[in-house]
Amino acid sequence: MEGAFHKQVTNAATNNAESVSELAIVAAMMTSTPVHTSTSNTQADETAANTEVNDETDDEAQGEEEDVHLVIIVPQPPYVGKRFGSFEDAKEFYQRYAMFHGFAVNIEYHRKIKKTNEYSRGEIRCYKARRNKKGKCVAPVVPEGKRGIIVKTECHVRCKLNADGARWVVTEYFDEHNHELIKKFDLVKFLSAHRGFSPLEKKFIKLLHDCNVGPSRMVQILSLIHSGDGSLSSMPYIPADVTNLKAKYHRESRLADIEDTIAYFEEKAKADADFFYRIRLDDEDRVRNMYWVDGAARRAYKHFRDCISFDVTYLMNMYKMPYAPFIGINNHNQSLQFGCGLVRNEDIDGYTWLFKTFLECMGGLAPMNIITDQDFSMRAGIEEVFPLAVHRHCRWHIIKKAEETLGPFFADRPELHKAFELCVDHSLTVEEFERSWTAMIETYQVQHNETLTSLWEK
């Protein structure tokens, strides 16, 4: 029966699979520069029309190469009189041009009319416009790239725009830099103005975050989307940017998760009159403990409370709170879950609250037998809340801890290891176990082994 308490259950989370693949496909189609492909389709169409579906013609078709030409469209600079649908469109247009030519641009100002609350003028300048503040870059000691400070040169490159009805018109444009431009395209994308995520990438990273994908794995996925060989240089950002964005989503989710959880519990309570949940907060209104169970489990507990297992060695969630389920067995030798708990602090107070909440939920009916690991705080909580229950330690936990310590010792004494397993696994009564244990200790002369002695005392 005890083995039924430790069946590993894997819940396949497939709901997000389709959305993940769709986003990945769309993201893979993104490119940092506008690239247009012109293909000679005439030859391909003629070949396809004259090809039969068989092995020989398939091999021949694979050997033929199509005449493909890649034409890179070089972004053109803005000019006086050019119109844009919005100021953001103008910024995006100029930003793309700047990226292709080795510099970046910033918004110098974007003025708003107070009466109408609408923007009327704006100016976009080179990222090296103006001058550095006093004390910065007066006497550079280390290379600029290692200090994270951009040396301003009072560059006069700019693009001024005025609102003309619903559109924006370029009224002034100057394009002569007083500094060297970055010649290597792979380095331009790391300028602060160009470095970042597209809206689709942010959505994709948010989806990966919701699926508990780690930052390193995110970087691998994104690098494969940007380039087939997974090169990090293909991404317009660095791994630290991915980590920071994930941390931002993590902070946002921490604020909304408890609200979503309570809303879910209340919705379940409306559909199930016997649904039960309790949430315990600390002095700072943070979740300290939580317990919930549905009505079907509460009704089943009245019939199958003869023996339950309580274990907190299950997976740790993103909040580092151990998951603590109450597991029982029905008359068909099937596992039943009599509620779930989350415990922030594995101390006496936390376990006592959880056991009292469980007892309240089950109408004051305590379990007849309860199996746990050898945790002292858990044992103290059981003695206080379930004083009449028979408390036993889980064999799986005992053997696991023993073998971690006795592994090298048993490796040199295989006969002792075999005798140990026979004693633990095949003793049906207390008397039989005590006789087998004493015989094993005397036969192999291991009276002074501290681990075996502590196992016997426990």
Side-chain angles (χ1 to χ4, degrees):
M1 180 180 70
E2 186 178 344
F5 289 130
H6 300 284
K7 294 179 181 178
Q8 297 180 353
V9 179
T10 304
N11 295 324
T14 58
N15 295 332
N16 294 329
E18 295 182 2
S19 56
V20 173
S21 60
E22 290 175 1
L23 283 171
I25 292 172
V26 176
M29 298 172 64
M30 296 185 302
T31 177
S32 57
T33 56
V35 178
H36 293 261
T37 305
S38 61
T39 307
S40 178
N41 293 327
T42 305
Q43 181 180 355
D45 293 341
E46 292 177 355
T47 305
N50 297 326
T51 302
E52 297 179 359
V53 183
N54 53 53
D55 294 339
E56 294 181 359
T57 54
D58 284 346
D59 294 338
E60 293 176 359
Q62 292 177 0
E64 297 180 0
E65 296 182 356
E66 295 183 350
D67 185 16
V68 178
H69 301 282
L70 294 178
V71 179
I72 299 178
I73 306 301
V74 179
Q76 299 299 314
Y79 53 86
V80 175
K82 184 172 179 59
R83 293 177 173 268
F84 296 95
S86 66
F87 187 80
E88 290 299 322
D89 291 344
K91 179 189 173 185
E92 183 180 351
F93 177 88
Y94 199 16
Q95 196 76 274
R96 189 183 303 114
Y97 168 79
M99 184 176 185
F100 199 92
H101 289 80
F103 67 102
V105 295
N106 299 321
I107 297 177
E108 185 66 17
Y109 65 83
H110 196 189
R111 292 188 177 177
K112 180 185 290 187
I113 302 175
K114 292 183 179 180
K115 293 182 179 180
T116 61
N117 200 31
E118 295 180 352
Y119 292 104
S120 61
R121 289 184 292 173
E123 181 175 347
I124 307 173
R125 285 193 176 188
C126 174
Y127 75 119
K128 291 199 173 187
R130 295 184 177 272
R131 67 175 66 182
N132 292 95
K133 295 179 181 179
K134 271 191 175 181
K136 287 187 178 181
C137 308
V138 176
V141 179
V142 295
E144 177 184 336
K146 294 185 178 181
R147 291 182 291 115
I149 299 174
I150 297 176
V151 179
K152 304 290 186 178
T153 62
E154 298 184 79
C155 183
H156 297 292
V157 171
R158 62 187 176 274
C159 178
K160 290 185 177 181
L161 300 102
N162 286 349
D164 184 12
R167 301 176 69 83
W168 286 77
V169 183
V170 177
T171 58
E172 183 180 342
Y173 178 66
F174 184 77
D175 194 21
E176 292 185 10
H177 297 268
N178 62 358
H179 57 88
E180 291 187 4
L181 301 179
I182 300 175
K183 298 179 180 179
K184 193 172 182 180
F185 182 76
D186 286 343
L187 298 179
V188 179
K189 62 187 179 184
F190 292 113
L191 292 174
S192 58
H194 299 306
R195 184 171 134 189
F197 305 93
S198 67
L200 184 61
E201 284 179 307
K202 288 184 178 180
K203 186 177 180 181
F204 183 60
I205 293 174
K206 179 65 167 63
L207 184 61
L208 294 177
H209 166 76
D210 294 340
C211 295
N212 289 329
V213 177
S216 59
R217 182 57 180 158
M218 285 185 181
V219 172
Q220 293 177 358
I221 295 173
L222 291 168
S223 63
L224 288 172
I225 289 175
H226 280 277
S227 67
D229 58 355
S231 174
L232 296 180
S233 61
S234 63
M235 301 188 302
Y237 38 79
I238 60 176
D241 295 331
V242 179
T243 303
N244 293 337
L245 184 58
K246 178 176 171 58
K248 176 187 174 183
Y249 290 146
H250 179 70
R251 290 191 298 270
E252 293 174 354
S253 63
R254 287 177 70 93
L255 299 175
D257 274 1
I258 185 61
E259 297 178 359
D260 295 340
T261 301
I262 294 175
Y264 173 78
F265 284 164
E266 291 177 350
E267 185 178 343
K268 293 289 290 183
K270 292 179 182 178
D272 183 359
D274 292 328
F275 183 84
F276 179 95
Y277 75 93
R278 289 287 185 274
I279 298 176
R280 184 190 187 193
L281 305 177
D282 60 12
D283 296 336
E284 299 179 2
D285 290 335
R286 296 178 301 178
V287 176
R288 188 172 180 180
N289 300 101
M290 185 184 299
Y291 174 78
W292 69 96
V293 61
D294 60 16
R298 295 178 69 185
R299 292 187 291 271
Y301 175 79
K302 298 177 182 179
H303 304 284
F304 306 111
R305 65 184 182 93
D306 51 344
C307 186
I308 67 171
S309 170
F310 180 73
D311 193 355
V312 295
T313 58
Y314 287 85
L315 61 92
M316 305 283 282
N317 52 44
M318 63 189 295
Y319 301 102
K320 307 300 180 184
M321 295 177 70
Y323 172 69
F326 293 85
I327 305 296
I329 295 179
N330 64 10
N331 56 329
H332 297 290
N333 200 31
Q334 297 172 334
S335 296
L336 296 175
Q337 188 165 273
F338 297 133
C340 313
L342 291 177
V343 185
R344 191 171 75 187
N345 298 321
E346 298 183 65
D347 53 14
I348 297 176
D349 181 64
Y351 287 130
T352 301
W353 180 90
L354 190 59
F355 294 148
K356 286 183 177 180
T357 305
F358 176 83
L359 194 63
E360 175 192 354
C361 169
M362 299 305 175
L365 292 175
M368 299 177 184
N369 299 273
I370 184 168
I371 300 175
T372 68
D373 61 14
Q374 296 171 290
D375 184 82
F376 172 79
S377 301
M378 197 181 298
R379 181 171 59 193
I382 291 173
E383 290 176 355
E384 179 179 346
V385 183
F386 308 134
L388 301 180
V390 178
H391 182 204
R392 291 287 182 264
H393 291 153
C394 175
R395 171 196 170 278
W396 183 84
H397 289 96
I398 295 174
I399 298 302
K400 182 176 181 295
K401 292 180 180 179
E403 290 186 345
E404 288 175 357
T405 307
L406 294 171
F409 184 74
F410 282 150
D412 297 332
R413 300 166 179 82
E415 294 298 327
L416 173 62
H417 190 195
K418 184 176 180 180
F420 176 81
E421 291 180 342
L422 289 173
C423 176
V424 173
D425 295 337
H426 298 281
S427 297
L428 301 180
T429 64
V430 176
E431 293 77 12
E432 184 179 352
F433 173 78
E434 292 178 348
R435 288 197 304 269
S436 300
W437 186 274
T438 303
M440 178 189 70
I441 297 297
E442 293 178 353
T443 302
Y444 297 98
Q445 297 296 309
V446 288
Q447 293 89 343
H448 302 293
N449 186 280
E450 296 181 359
T451 304
L452 291 174
T453 302
S454 65
L455 282 175
W456 171 259
E457 293 174 352
K458 291 180 180 180

